[in-house]
Amino acid sequence: MRPEQLGFTPRRGVPWLSPTLLAGTAVRVVMAGLFGAYLDKRELQSALHSEIFHEPEGVDQDGELWLDYVADLGDGFNATYSIAYLLAQPQLKVGGEALPRGRALVMGGDQVYPTASGQQYEDRFKGPYESALPQPPLEGVQPGLYAVPGNHDWYDGLTAFLRLFTRGHGKIGGWRTPQTRSYFAIELPHRWWLFAIDAQLDAYIDDPQLSYFREVASRLQPGDRVIMCLPNPTWVAATHDPHAYDTVDYFIRTVIAPTRAQVRLMLSGDLHHYARYTHPDRELITAGGGGAYLYATHRLPERLDVPPKATLVRKKSPSQEYRLAATYPTKSRSRQLAAGVFGRLPWRNPGFASLLGMLHLFLMLAFTGAAQRLSGPLQRLSTIPVVVMAIIVLGATVAFAMPPTAGRRRPKHWALGIGHGVAQIGLGVLGAWTWLALPFHNLSWPLPLVVAVLVYVPVSGLLASEIVAGYLLVASVFDVNLNELFAAQGIVDYKSFLRLHFDVDGTLTIYPIAVDRVGRRWRAAPDTRADKPWIEPVRPLTVRLAEKPIRLS
């Protein structure tokens, strides 16, 4: 189980509130946003071979096909490998049925976290999946693997993604990787099609990609059924940004609708949970449970208008009301998990707690300096103006309440950010009063500062972390910092993926597979068959259905 033997380094889950990680990721996000439009590799992909893929070659003799879908998978080893291990099994027994492994595996985005690079892909995605299925199955057809890039795949301009997934005749373990571009179309049996779109960082769809899909659409016949794979659930994002769904609606109106084919199913990851919105004509499923930290379900709206009525697009499709049919975990369980932030935040993010402790050290020095007249040049250097520190704290908390995903800044963001800042300043006042009541500040200089670093920093950092936890819990009620509430906890359980069955009569049955608890202890299996996993769980992984199978005709 050493990296030298495995060929990769199993990684821990990403500490999403780590100051170093936040700073590095922020730089990459800004660069991707600034230069993405100028260095859009999708435009260059028009020079690559264009192909429409056919998975009927994997159809069983009786005309059936099984296909798997997973998204948001390249995080910590325990969660990522648990899902990879289950996907690689020849079959899973779920709900009294034996569900065979998919003849094709579609990955719906964010195959790596936090940012894309060759080494990150190797450790967080490729290594675990090669360990789960090292070689093609000795019996049957070699399964295919297709991938849609998500925003984290795009943070290096898609460079590492293209090298890994679009070689045309490559492989990842026992899966073949036939795709040649970051988008693709697959002809499935019984007049089903799958269209996977690369909407780079929520931007437009480029002309070469539109040309490709228009060519594919020319083969569609009236009554054909289409599955659309998207990088993110724009139908949910549209509740905060009415324009989020515009690109998808344009694609359906201009590419698919003229053929009189039907979009019966839309799949997406990006939000790390399972949720299904239903309408008699279409299902909207978010299935982002492939390995990343769990995201809340309890704030999902019960009903959606798709496309949203508030959009400014004049030629939009008629809005239809969709009903939330199921979530995993359930909304009640999601609320319970949200309340666990007080214990998980400082435990999962010690670097963040240390940063808060240092901030409160300077805040305490500012208040103690104002409360007493200090003498000596070194002591004066440690005195920080109270006003400066108050502005720094309030600026940081207001900025924290307005992440890039917040959309339009509203009064609630300002009120919550300022309230959080006042609470942190209040803790600073209490800390200064406590410090002055203790004998440490009377020691000869610089002993008070040394004691403060060793004692005050960890205590204040822990207390400040609890204030942040309380703020996140309150803010989430107003749909502010909901992502940060769950990212800070790093919950690795409650994972999920989809297993799709195309029957001989043209019926599509969707099995949402739920994994309540991922593996945490593993053992090497070096003497097993070449197509069996190199790594086995010490305790068997158990699966169940997140809801009853969904049948589409």
Side-chain angles (χ1 to χ4, degrees):
M1 293 290 287
R2 294 195 301 270
E4 297 80 12
Q5 295 171 312
L6 295 175
F8 70 98
T9 302
R11 300 280 187 173
R12 294 183 177 180
V14 176
W16 287 102
L17 292 189
S18 165
T20 303
L21 173 67
L22 289 174
T25 304
V27 171
R28 287 181 175 264
V29 170
V30 170
M31 292 180 65
L34 288 175
F35 300 110
Y38 301 100
L39 301 174
D40 192 343
K41 287 189 174 65
R42 297 177 306 171
E43 302 281 355
L44 303 178
Q45 291 179 54
S46 60
L48 300 176
H49 176 62
S50 172
E51 185 175 349
I52 302 172
F53 302 98
H54 305 270
E55 281 303 331
E57 66 186 41
V59 173
D60 295 331
Q61 292 182 355
D62 56 6
E64 296 181 319
L65 174 70
W66 292 83
L67 181 145
D68 291 333
Y69 177 90
V70 67
D72 302 284
L73 49 130
D75 203 328
F77 176 80
N78 286 340
T80 296
Y81 187 73
S82 294
I83 298 300
Y85 178 84
L86 293 170
L87 288 167
Q89 295 302 299
Q91 68 176 20
L92 297 175
K93 293 184 178 179
V94 187
E97 295 187 60
L99 310 182
R101 175 177 54 219
R103 294 294 182 90
L105 171 60
V106 176
M107 295 182 168
D110 288 345
Q111 281 69 236
V112 69
Y113 291 97
T115 54
S117 70
Q119 192 60 51
Q120 292 281 25
Y121 273 115
E122 190 71 34
D123 293 341
R124 296 186 182 273
F125 161 66
K126 186 179 178 182
Y129 272 77
E130 285 187 335
S131 299
L133 186 64
Q135 297 294 333
L138 297 182
E139 299 92 13
V141 178
Q142 181 180 14
L145 187 154
Y146 304 83
V148 179
N151 59 310
H152 289 269
D153 299 293
W154 260 103
Y155 287 156
D156 72 336
L158 211 61
T159 299
F161 178 94
L162 293 176
R163 289 175 179 172
L164 182 61
F165 291 105
T166 63
R167 291 179 292 175
H169 300 285
K171 71 182 187 70
I172 294 174
W175 286 279
R176 54 186 169 84
T177 54
Q179 76 187 83
T180 56
R181 299 186 183 185
S182 60
Y183 47 88
F184 53 88
I186 305 175
E187 182 182 5
L188 299 167
H190 315 303
R191 301 180 65 186
W192 282 92
W193 293 76
L194 186 145
F195 286 21
I197 299 171
D198 178 8
Q200 179 251 117
L201 299 176
D202 298 328
Y204 63 94
I205 299 178
D206 55 292
D207 286 341
Q209 185 172 182
L210 282 173
S211 298
Y212 169 80
F213 281 110
R214 286 192 175 111
E215 179 185 351
V216 177
S218 67
R219 305 188 183 191
L220 295 178
Q221 300 295 323
D224 283 1
R225 293 150 296 184
V226 178
I227 301 170
M228 287 186 61
C229 291
L230 307 172
N232 63 334
T234 54
W235 50 90
V236 176
T239 59
H240 302 286
D241 178 9
H243 305 294
Y245 191 78
D246 291 351
T247 298
V248 177
D249 187 50
Y250 172 81
F251 184 90
I252 294 174
R253 284 187 295 106
T254 62
V255 177
I256 299 178
T259 68
R260 297 171 60 191
Q262 295 178 303
V263 178
R264 295 287 284 122
L265 174 63
M266 298 176 72
L267 297 177
S268 176
D270 192 56
L271 298 182
H272 310 156
H273 58 221
Y274 171 81
R276 178 172 66 92
Y277 284 91
T278 185
H279 181 272
D281 296 332
R282 186 178 300 166
E283 301 291 329
L284 310 177
I285 296 180
T286 305
Y293 65 87
L294 178 68
Y295 183 74
T297 60
H298 64 276
R299 296 301 299 174
L300 289 173
E302 289 294 328
R303 298 185 182 276
L304 292 176
D305 289 324
V306 183
K309 296 178 180 180
T311 181
L312 298 178
V313 176
R314 295 182 179 180
K315 297 182 180 180
K316 72 178 181 69
S317 305
S319 293
Q320 303 288 340
E321 186 178 79
Y322 286 75
R323 176 181 57 85
L324 182 62
T327 66
Y328 176 74
T330 62
K331 287 194 171 188
S332 60
R333 183 56 181 150
S334 177
R335 291 189 188 94
Q336 295 171 2
L337 293 169
V341 66
F342 294 99
R344 296 191 188 99
L345 188 151
W347 176 258
R348 303 277 187 183
N349 304 276
F352 182 70
S354 299
L355 177 65
L356 290 176
M358 292 302 299
L359 177 66
H360 273 273
L361 172 63
F362 293 128
L363 195 59
M364 182 269 287
L365 292 175
F367 282 120
T368 55
Q372 61 180 171
R373 294 184 177 182
L374 301 177
S375 60
L378 291 177
Q379 289 175 291
R380 293 194 191 98
L381 287 176
S382 69
T383 303
I384 304 170
V386 171
V387 174
V388 172
M389 284 306 305
I391 291 174
I392 290 174
V393 171
L394 285 173
T397 55
V398 169
F400 186 66
M402 300 180 182
T405 56
R408 182 181 176 184
R409 275 55 174 168
R410 300 181 182 275
K412 65 180 180 180
H413 296 96
W414 291 96
L416 289 166
I418 292 172
H420 180 199
V422 170
Q424 294 288 358
I425 292 173
L427 177 62
V429 172
L430 179 62
W433 178 82
T434 304
W435 180 258
L436 292 175
L438 296 173
F440 300 125
H441 70 281
N442 292 322
L443 298 174
S444 59
W445 189 259
L447 289 178
L449 187 61
V450 174
V451 174
V453 171
L454 296 177
V455 177
Y456 188 84
V457 168
V459 174
S460 63
L462 178 60
L463 294 176
S465 297
E466 295 303 307
I467 289 179
V468 173
Y471 158 77
L472 289 173
L473 199 58
V474 172
S476 67
V477 176
F478 301 92
D479 291 323
V480 175
N481 288 125
L482 183 61
N483 179 60
E484 286 73 20
L485 172 64
F486 275 78
Q489 299 187 59
I491 300 171
V492 299
D493 294 315
Y494 303 97
K495 295 295 165 274
S496 58
F497 61 93
L498 304 179
R499 183 149 286 179
L500 287 68
H501 177 218
F502 298 87
D503 208 340
V504 291
D505 61 359
T507 300
L508 168 60
T509 304
I510 306 166
Y511 297 87
I513 310 297
V515 185
D516 293 331
R517 181 175 175 81
V518 303
R520 286 166 170 79
R521 297 178 59 198
W522 309 93
R523 57 170 174 253
D527 300 324
T528 189
R529 272 177 29 174
D531 62 340
K532 297 298 182 181
W534 291 339
I535 303 171
E536 294 280 352
V538 173
R539 297 178 59 183
L541 301 175
T542 59
V543 297
R544 64 181 180 88
L545 292 177
E547 64 167 322
K548 293 181 179 179
I550 306 107
R551 289 180 171 84
L552 305 177
S553 58

